[in-house]
Structure formats: structure tokens, C-alpha cells
Amino acid sequence: MFINRTKLILLLSAVALFAVYFLTAPQNHSEAEDVYDFACWVEQGTFADQAGVNRVLALPMFGWTYRIAQLAGYSGRAFPFMIFLNRMLAVGCVVLFWKMLWAAFSGKAHGGAGVRVGKQASEDEDVETVKLPTPNVKLPAALLLAFSYGFWRYANEAETYILAAFLVLGAWCFCLGDKVWWCIAVSALGCLVHLLNAVPLLLIIPLYYLLSSDWKKALLHGVATGLLVLAGYLICSPWLDFSELGAQHHAAEGGLGLKNGLRGMIAFGQCVLSANFLFGFEEFREMLSDFFPSRMLGEEFYMASKMPGWIPVAGVATLSLFAVCGLWLGCEWALGFRRWATEKEGVNRGSEIEAKKGDKPLLANSKLSASNLKPLTLSAIVWFLLYGVAVIRTEAGSPELWIMALIPCWLLFSSLLRGRVGWILVFCLFAHNLIAGMLPVRSERSDYHAQKSKWLLEHTTREDLILTSYEPILIFYLNYFADAEVRVSSSDSFEELDERLGLIEGNAYAVDTFFQPLESMKCRSPEMYDRMVKIGKRMRARFELVKKDEFGGIYQYMGDRESNE
């Protein structure tokens, strides 16, 4: 039994892509905020711990898969296991995106009816079904998704966005394949995995049906999917905190407005083209600190301090190459559009002449792809815009939230790809994000949290205590890897910490930021910042420096002494 050429190319491309993801896997995970927390819940938590109101089934699905793997003999931790699953899902996403493009470009979308042209198309057997003349754009367009920095990076993280994207693409493939009930089932599951999936799955798929003049399927999908999602929330409601439903992550970057719109554009740009290399320039670091005052950028600045000096220069070169290629593509598209408009004008004139003679319109035999893609193109435009509004309202400057916006972006862009230009663009994107994005985070030496916690992990036991202020990723990292108990001044009062120190059996240590919280907290929560500063000042006299390092040092608890400050 022989496998056809297309399937063989797709299979080899999938294997090669998995190998690329594996070989370029970053050891610096400080850019992904929740990965250690998620891995901890998957490994040690119950369904109540794992379920969240904005991603009800995401972590439970990883948890169930992890338990099955353990039953099958896997003895490792959840963190590498989740990364492996995300690599597999990322490859699956690229394959599904390829299938989605194939359905659109082959004219077989939405039931395989294609598009007929001309007023008598439904009656005239000689009228052709419109086909896209450039099917070779499918693989380059799929690889543009694969090598977008946000997608590539999170294919190697213990996060939930790749799972969410996989379900979005699966639902759309069923939609374009006219498998209505499968589309409904996967759409409902996708919305329960991530709330932001409601945009492409609960709103845009019905819109696509309406634009395809199929209001019955639009109504059926909207109602059935909505009811299934509602049922899912009702079933899981005992374990959910509905006060967090659609909540803004922090006020400084949540809400609609011009400044947050610009933040969103920058974050989406980082999702497509890595800006990691720019951290090598001091001017850029200063600008970013001013524009994102609520962002904890210490991780990125530390990564830049470990970055080889040639990477910023190479990043500028590869970005320039991508820009030139994009300009070339834009020029080709403009010239092509001009030719198409001229030809269409000539065809229309010819149609009028031929119509007088009683012959079939010439337009009936033309192969215009625009008609075939119109419902999907309009749907993708609305999809991107509505999703962008939802992200800007939630947390505009968070690049990971923009990952799922890459799907409509590259779907729209794919129709512009022609011939070798598409492959050149893929190469430029790959080269830039490899050199300027993945290489700076390749080594664990550039991981702020791994290096800051290294001494603590080596010198603490279960009887010990670690104190810190609000540094979410550091807290998650220590909770996942350290044996010692971790307490945080943002959630514990001075009295609670004082009582815990009085009951300690081993040693207590504090990081430098326990005494001087990060400045970004002033923007995120001024009240919390002031409270942490007061606790740090009162506790400072009880601790002495035991380990001097580039992060401000590690301090050990020496006794019950309180500062007079």
C-alpha cells in the first residue's frame, strides 16, 4: 500500500517540525508566567484546584492525560510531560491549519459546493466550479504559523494556549468540512478550555455560516454550542469562582483605550516576530520600562545581560531581511491586484458585448478565487478584530494571549502568498525567530528565576521557610521545585509571618525583594506595594546577608529583632 505524495510530504513535514521544536527547546522559561503553577496543579492538584472559570477544562485535561501516562509507566514530573504534549499539539495545529487552508483553497469548503459564477450558474452545467489557482501556498502559510515566535515558544511551554488553538483549528476544520455536529462538540469543548475561544467558536463560526447564506446552520451552531458551554459551566460551578469570569489581569493594562491599543500591537508583534534581541539595546529597555510600567521586566533584562553580543546585531539584520521580503510580497500583490482589476474590467466589457449576441458571459468561465474565499475572509477579519478587542480589554500587553490571533492573521495573509515568495518569507521568519528569539532563551543561565533560586534549592529542606514579596513566577518556581515552604508578604500579614517564624523548625531565608518589592507593583497595586514595603522594613533587622549575588542576595533569619523604621 503506497502513501500519496501529498500525505508523505505532510507526514515528513510534521516529523521535521517536531524535531525543530525539540532541538530548539528553551531552558529559560521565565517569559511564560504560569507554567510552574500549572505544572504543580496538574501534578498535585485535584479537579477543584485545576478548574478555573476562564479555562474550565484546560488543566483538568492535562491532569487526566498525566494520570493515564503514570498508569502506563511514566514516572517523571508534570512539567516536562506538559511540554511534550504541547509539542505534539503544536504539530497537530500546523497540520490542521494546513487542512483548513486546503479546504478553503480547493473550493471544497462548507460542504464541497465550491462557488459558481454567473447568473445562470445553478442551471448551466457548463459553468465551472471556482478553484484557487495557487494550492502551493498551503504549506508555506502553515509554516508561517509554526514559526511565529509566540507559537514556537509556547510549543515548548507547560501552558494551555496551544491546546486552545488546537481545538479552535479542529472546530474550523469540521466547519469547513460540513461536519456540523462535530464542529459543535469541539467548539463547546474549546470554549470550556479557554474563554477567549468564544470569539472564533461561538461568534465567528455562525457568522461564517451566515455569510455563506446558511442561516439554519448558523442558528443551530450558535444555540447548540451555547447550551453545551452553559451546561459545562453549570456542571463545574461548585468548583469555579465566577467573580474572576473575564476579569482584567491588572488595571494598568486592561480596558479599551489608545495606549492599550498600542500595547496590544506591540504584544502581537512580539507574538509574530521576536523582539528578544532588542533587549540588548539599553535605549529599548528604557523605552519599554516607561511604556509598560506595570510589567515585571527583570526576567527580560536579565536574559539580555547573558545574551551574546552578536545577537542584537544579527537580530536587526534578520528583521530587515524579513521587512524587505514583506515589501517584495506587498509589491507583487499590488501589481497582481492591478492586473486582476484590469482583466475584470475587460471581462465585464466582454460580457456585455457577448450578452447582446446571446452567448454565455465570459465571466462564467473565469477562475476568480475572491468569490470562493469571501465568507472565510470576512469572517477572519471580524475574528481578528473582535479577538483583539477582547485581549486589549483583558491584558493588552500580554503576548501569550495573542497566540490564538495568529490563526486569523495568517489565514488572511495566506491569500497573498505566491510562488517562491512564500517560501522566502518562511525562511526569513524562521531565521529571525531562531536567532533573535529562541537562541537568547536557549540556556538556563539566562533564566532569572532559575538562577535567583539556585542557592535556595541547594540549601533548603522541608523544615525550612523561604520569604519573598509578590513575584509570581518566582513564587510558582519555588513552590514547584523547592522542598521548603514559601510565604509571600503580599498575601500574609506581618503578624502571620511573625507567628510562622516563631514556629519554624529549620532555617528561614528571604530574597532581597522581600525587603524592597519590585517597583512595577506600584502601578499594579499601590496598596499592596505599600503593605509589602512596611512588612519588609519591620522584618529587615531580623535577617543577615548569607549569600551575595547579582539579584541582591539571600538573607537568613537570625532571631526576633524588629526594625525601628
Side-chain angles (χ1 to χ4, degrees):
M1 181 178 180
F2 295 97
I3 186 170
N4 67 49
R5 182 172 176 271
T6 300
K7 289 183 178 179
L8 180 61
I9 292 174
L10 191 60
L11 177 62
L12 293 176
S13 298
V15 173
L17 183 60
F18 183 87
V20 169
Y21 286 154
F22 174 77
L23 293 172
T24 59
Q27 300 304 310
N28 177 348
H29 299 280
S30 60
E31 190 176 341
E33 295 184 358
D34 299 313
V35 291
Y36 302 113
D37 195 37
F38 287 172
C40 187
W41 291 129
V42 166
E43 186 174 313
Q44 304 168 22
T46 63
F47 181 84
D49 299 320
Q50 296 166 357
V53 71
N54 293 314
R55 47 180 115 209
V56 180
L57 294 181
L59 292 183
M61 289 177 69
F62 277 106
W64 297 329
T65 310
Y66 180 64
R67 299 288 179 265
I68 292 171
Q70 286 182 316
L71 292 174
Y74 178 72
S75 58
R77 302 201 70 179
F79 187 74
F81 178 77
M82 292 176 69
I83 291 175
F84 172 79
L85 286 183
N86 274 330
R87 286 187 196 130
M88 297 289 289
L89 288 169
V91 174
C93 283
V94 176
V95 172
L96 289 175
F97 190 53
W98 181 90
K99 291 177 71 68
M100 185 179 176
L101 293 168
W102 181 87
F105 289 154
S106 67
K108 296 183 179 181
H110 191 39
V115 177
R116 294 185 180 278
V117 186
K119 293 182 179 179
Q120 306 299 322
S122 59
E123 301 175 3
D124 197 329
E125 294 299 325
D126 294 329
V127 177
E128 294 186 16
T129 300
V130 176
K131 305 283 186 179
L132 247 177
T134 54
N136 291 332
V137 305
K138 296 189 294 290
L139 189 54
L143 291 177
L144 287 172
L145 173 67
F147 296 132
S148 294
Y149 178 68
F151 190 89
W152 189 349
R153 176 67 187 268
Y154 276 76
N156 283 299
E157 297 291 359
E159 255 283 6
T160 60
Y161 296 105
I162 301 298
L163 172 61
F166 181 82
L167 293 171
V168 168
L169 287 162
W172 271 94
C173 283
F174 283 129
C175 170
L176 297 178
D178 207 29
K179 297 180 180 179
V180 179
W181 288 106
W182 276 107
C183 179
I184 290 170
V186 176
S187 293
L189 181 60
C191 291
L192 291 171
V193 161
H194 204 293
L195 186 62
L196 286 173
N197 277 355
V199 174
L201 302 181
L202 196 55
L203 301 179
I204 304 302
I205 288 180
L207 174 64
Y208 169 75
Y209 284 137
L210 286 174
L211 292 172
S212 301
S213 302
D214 201 337
W215 66 267
K216 291 182 179 179
K217 286 178 182 174
L219 183 63
L220 175 62
H221 183 92
V223 172
T225 303
L227 288 174
L228 286 174
V229 172
L230 181 61
Y233 269 97
L234 288 174
I235 292 169
C236 299
S237 60
W239 302 284
L240 301 177
D241 178 8
F242 284 93
S243 66
E244 293 293 321
L245 186 64
Q248 297 176 352
H249 291 193
H250 54 82
E253 286 185 20
L256 301 178
L258 179 59
K259 199 164 187 178
N260 279 337
L262 292 173
R263 288 187 178 115
M265 291 174 61
I266 292 172
F268 179 70
Q270 164 76 347
C271 209
V272 177
L273 290 160
S274 175
N276 285 348
F277 73 101
L278 291 174
F279 286 102
F281 300 102
E282 185 177 353
E283 296 80 5
F284 179 78
R285 295 197 298 270
E286 292 176 356
M287 181 200 74
L288 215 61
S289 296
D290 293 337
F291 199 66
F292 292 94
S294 64
R295 287 268 149 193
M296 297 178 178
L297 297 171
E299 299 95 336
E300 287 80 3
F301 293 170
Y302 184 76
M303 176 266 294
S305 71
K306 305 298 179 182
M307 187 189 301
W310 62 270
I311 284 183
V313 178
V316 172
T318 53
L319 183 62
S320 301
L321 187 63
F322 183 87
V324 169
C325 185
L327 184 62
W328 178 15
L329 182 64
C331 291
E332 283 208 347
W333 178 83
L335 291 172
F337 181 80
R338 184 179 178 182
R339 285 195 299 268
W340 173 82
T342 303
E343 290 172 3
K344 183 180 180 182
E345 184 179 358
V347 167
N348 288 335
R349 288 176 180 173
S351 298
E352 293 175 4
I353 296 171
E354 294 298 327
K356 293 178 181 178
K357 298 178 181 179
D359 294 338
K360 293 182 297 183
L362 293 177
L363 186 58
N365 292 319
S366 65
K367 297 184 177 181
L368 298 176
S369 62
S371 301
N372 191 28
L373 287 177
K374 187 175 181 180
L376 190 59
T377 300
L378 291 176
S379 298
I381 292 171
V382 178
W383 174 357
F384 185 82
L385 293 175
L386 284 182
Y387 188 87
V389 169
V391 173
I392 290 170
R393 180 207 167 274
T394 305
E395 189 176 0
S398 179
E400 61 266 24
L401 289 177
W402 289 97
I403 290 173
M404 289 179 285
L406 291 168
I407 300 171
C409 171
W410 289 125
L411 180 61
L412 290 168
F413 198 80
S414 63
S415 61
L416 307 181
L417 299 179
R418 293 294 183 270
R420 63 186 179 185
V421 181
W423 287 105
I424 295 173
L425 198 66
V426 169
F427 173 78
C428 292
L429 185 70
F430 173 81
H432 175 77
N433 286 335
L434 175 65
I435 295 170
M438 302 304 290
L439 285 184
V441 295
R442 185 72 179 86
S443 171
E444 192 179 55
R445 290 180 58 254
S446 66
D447 190 319
Y448 174 92
H449 303 289
Q451 298 306 314
K452 186 171 182 175
S453 304
K454 188 175 182 180
W455 189 91
L456 289 169
L457 297 185
E458 293 173 350
H459 293 83
T460 55
T461 64
R462 292 184 182 278
E463 289 74 32
D464 296 332
L465 179 68
I466 300 174
L467 301 178
T468 181
S469 63
Y470 186 76
E471 284 188 84
I473 308 176
L474 179 66
I475 296 166
F476 298 154
Y477 186 91
L478 289 170
N479 277 327
Y480 189 67
F481 288 109
D483 293 325
E485 179 186 357
V486 180
R487 299 294 288 264
V488 186
S489 60
S490 61
S491 54
D492 290 326
S493 66
F494 174 82
E495 290 73 22
E496 289 171 326
L497 293 173
D498 184 50
E499 181 182 357
R500 182 65 188 89
L501 286 169
L503 299 174
I504 193 169
E505 296 179 2
N507 296 311
Y509 299 96
V511 297
D512 178 70
T513 46
F514 177 72
F515 307 111
Q516 182 54 56
L518 298 173
E519 289 293 314
S520 58
M521 285 305 301
K522 284 185 179 179
C523 296
R524 289 200 175 203
S525 178
E527 292 181 4
M528 182 189 294
Y529 177 82
D530 291 339
R531 187 172 69 251
M532 291 189 297
V533 168
K534 290 177 181 177
I535 291 174
K537 285 182 177 179
R538 293 183 67 181
M539 286 283 187
R540 180 64 186 86
R542 305 184 186 189
F543 289 79
E544 291 184 3
L545 182 68
V546 292
K547 171 63 178 177
K548 189 175 182 179
D549 59 25
E550 56 193 320
F551 305 100
I554 305 295
Y555 296 79
Q556 184 174 358
Y557 178 67
M558 305 305 292
D560 191 11
R561 295 174 292 175
E562 185 173 333
S563 174
N564 294 321
E565 294 184 30

